[in-house]
Amino acid sequence: DTGVSQNPRHKITKRGQNVTFRCDPISEHNRLYWYRQTLGQGPEFLTYFQNEAQLEKSRLLSDRFSAERPKGSFSTLEIQRTEQGDSAMYLCASSPPGTGTGELFFGEGSRLTVL
Amino acid sequence: SQQGEEDPQALSIQEGENATMNCSYKTSINNLQWYRQNSGRGLVHLILIRSNEREKHSGRLRVTLDTSKKSSSLLITASRAADTASYFCATSTAGDYKLSFGAGTTVTVRA
């Protein structure tokens, strides 16, 4: 098992551009989470999926953000019309079925810099 | 929003010393977890303590939970340079499958 994989690891973009991040969870993990982390802060919850269903979205998630998990496997997080305030580390995590809110397995993150 | 708050924000200790950090939270929890994050990396799960447990050990880690005070502590004994990292507490509430993280404690272990 290779763990949670996130791509790209780093993305530099200009304000107003769209960016997309991909997360491949650990196989057979049915829950997938997206968090955002800014420098010196803890991760902030953005959204999570159980299989392909998006079950919760944070109020922090503006309508410029959209996440999908079309076949219940990998997930994408798209940010449209990026702003400098979107600069952050975007973390993906997954968890196996039947564990309640147990351990989350995190990827290495995708760092976004908006110029 | 962040449910937990860690204290202190930063901690610097000598190798071999113990490191203690605290976490306070606001609402009733299902469990509390501690994670470690090395600079620029993802988070790694350290330990989980359920709301009906008071103390838990894992190797050099000791976690306590006081639900009456809504607080937890993480003790790292005999610290090593490799323990240099940020440590976060995270809470879950009943019926909620997401974790809420605090702002973290940055620990520096000096050789």
Side-chain angles (χ1 to χ4, degrees), chain B:
Chain B
S1 64
Q2 300 196 307
Q3 143 106 295
E5 289 186 7
E6 284 92 339
D7 172 60
Q9 288 187 326
L11 183 59
S12 180
I13 56 173
Q14 201 74 30
E15 205 166 25
E17 293 180 339
N18 296 343
T20 300
M21 60 210 85
N22 304 295
C23 168
S24 60
Y25 56 90
K26 298 172 186 171
T27 62
S28 295
I29 60 170
N30 192 36
N31 69 56
L32 185 144
Q33 303 178 34
W34 286 90
Y35 287 78
R36 183 186 72 222
Q37 185 178 36
N38 291 90
S39 181
R41 307 293 296 275
L43 282 79
V44 175
H45 181 264
L46 295 176
I47 196 164
L48 180 155
I49 186 164
R50 302 189 192 287
S51 60
N52 60 354
E53 297 175 312
R54 293 296 167 258
E55 188 170 316
K56 208 160 181 182
H57 296 254
S58 176
R60 293 183 297 112
L61 305 180
R62 173 179 169 252
V63 170
T64 63
L65 179 65
D66 186 336
T67 53
S68 67
K69 295 181 179 177
K70 291 187 169 60
S71 68
S72 173
S73 69
L74 171 67
L75 168 68
I76 305 172
T77 61
S79 62
R80 305 166 181 169
D83 295 328
T84 294
S86 292
Y87 292 82
F88 297 92
C89 69
T91 57
S92 74
T93 56
D96 191 354
Y97 290 112
K98 68 179 183 289
L99 291 180
S100 298
F101 287 83
T105 294
T106 299
V107 175
T108 303
V109 181
R110 305 186 307 274

Side-chain angles (χ1 to χ4, degrees), chain A residues 30-45:
Chain A
N30 65 334
R31 290 202 196 102
L32 186 148
Y33 301 78
W34 286 99
Y35 283 82
R36 178 173 64 191
Q37 185 179 28
T38 53
L39 201 61
Q41 298 298 312
E44 287 184 302
F45 171 77

